[in-house]
Amino acid sequence: MNERLERVRQLLNELEVEMQTASAAVGDRDFSALELPLIIQEIVDDLQPLLTPFAAAFYWYVFRHSISRDGNPHLRVSTSDLQRAVVKSAHSAMVAPVTVRETLRALETIGAIRKEGEPNRDGTLYRVLIPDEIEACRKFRAERTAIEPLPEIDAADIDYYNIRENRIKVYERDAYKCRYCYEQLTRFTATLDHVRPVAEGGGNSFENLVTACLGCNSRKHKRPVGDFLAEQ
């Protein structure tokens, strides 16, 4: 019976990797309707407190017209767009262009947006990042929630693979970076990989799991870490 259960668990793990690999073809647009409320909650909790009112208004504008609209984090925005659409004071029809430029620079500095193209007549291409991708947010989240140390019980008895709250603890330990190629990930693009494969008796303990990107997880599959890294 134990062998059958272990085989079922192994098949489920492999199925999850295959499904995530298939969805990777969608790329940055792969945000589901169930994930969006969580992202919004994290923006409110972990990013907005770090922003000035102008910066928060600008971020919500670019978020609304990128990730929130269709899952694509890229968009082009111009100073005139932001002047007209984002914030209008009671005494002025538009925000001053210098304020727009300074606010965009502030968002870039904190890591909330990233310039990824040269300006054209449609504006400048930016990528909008979510709190999992922003180092300042991850630091603020850790301080805000006062993360407690792991419980003083046998960690091997705790499932860090199948329980969402526990999976996030592994991601946070690894700073949401792939332990093999060091790509910056989010909880929506990260996967968990078993250091010691399940087929060889590896479990779902905190120590036996590492954060991995889809590519590294798929290529490593059931191989020992040393064999996989030797090929890199």
Side-chain angles (χ1 to χ4, degrees):
M1 178 63 72
N2 289 338
E3 292 181 0
R4 293 177 63 185
L5 289 175
E6 190 59 39
R7 178 56 180 163
V8 169
R9 179 179 296 178
Q10 179 182 346
L11 290 172
L12 288 173
N13 291 346
E14 294 175 359
L15 177 61
E16 180 182 76
V17 172
E18 290 175 3
M19 292 177 64
Q20 291 174 322
T21 302
S23 68
V26 184
D28 288 326
R29 302 176 66 90
D30 190 27
F31 288 96
S32 75
L34 295 177
E35 293 166 346
L36 191 56
L38 177 59
I39 296 173
I40 292 173
Q41 175 186 322
E42 291 176 346
I43 292 171
V44 172
D45 291 343
D46 302 327
L47 177 59
Q48 188 160 312
L50 305 178
L51 303 178
T52 65
F54 268 129
F58 280 32
Y59 180 85
W60 281 115
Y61 175 83
V62 296
F63 178 82
R64 163 65 182 84
H65 290 85
S66 58
I67 294 171
S68 178
R69 181 178 61 191
D70 58 13
N72 187 348
H74 293 92
L75 83 162
R76 285 190 178 273
V77 293
S78 66
T79 299
S80 58
D81 289 338
L82 295 173
Q83 279 183 280
R84 288 192 300 265
V86 179
V87 180
K88 294 182 180 180
S89 72
H91 307 290
S92 176
M94 293 184 183
V95 179
V98 65
T99 302
V100 174
R101 290 191 291 269
E102 290 175 352
T103 304
L104 288 173
R105 282 196 294 269
L107 287 173
E108 287 187 81
T109 298
I110 202 171
I113 61 175
R114 184 171 66 229
K115 189 181 297 184
E116 296 204 339
E118 294 302 318
N120 61 26
R121 65 181 182 179
D122 296 320
T124 302
L125 180 65
Y126 287 95
R127 176 188 171 95
V128 182
L129 292 95
I130 62 176
D132 281 351
E133 300 173 290
I134 304 170
E135 183 178 356
C137 290
R138 297 196 299 269
K139 181 179 178 181
F140 180 74
R141 180 188 301 159
E143 295 172 348
R144 178 175 57 81
T145 57
I147 298 175
E148 299 179 357
L150 294 174
E152 296 295 330
I153 60 176
D154 189 354
D157 294 333
I158 304 175
D159 188 345
Y160 283 89
Y161 190 92
N162 296 299
I163 300 175
R164 177 183 173 277
E165 291 77 9
N166 290 343
R167 292 172 69 94
I168 291 175
K169 291 179 181 179
V170 180
Y171 297 152
E172 290 178 342
R173 179 200 65 193
D174 296 338
Y176 290 89
K177 290 185 178 180
C178 176
R179 291 282 290 272
Y180 304 123
C181 70
Y182 306 106
E183 177 185 354
Q184 183 65 61
L185 307 167
T186 74
R187 70 187 61 192
F188 308 111
T189 58
T191 69
L192 290 181
D193 181 57
H194 292 83
V195 178
R196 182 182 182 188
V198 173
E200 297 179 5
N204 295 330
S205 68
F206 188 74
E207 293 77 11
N208 196 49
L209 293 169
V210 295
T211 303
C213 68
L214 286 169
C216 288
N217 201 336
S218 299
R219 290 193 299 273
K220 176 177 175 290
H221 197 40
K222 300 178 183 179
R223 288 177 292 172
V225 173
D227 294 348
F228 172 67
L229 292 177
E231 299 176 3
Q232 302 306 302

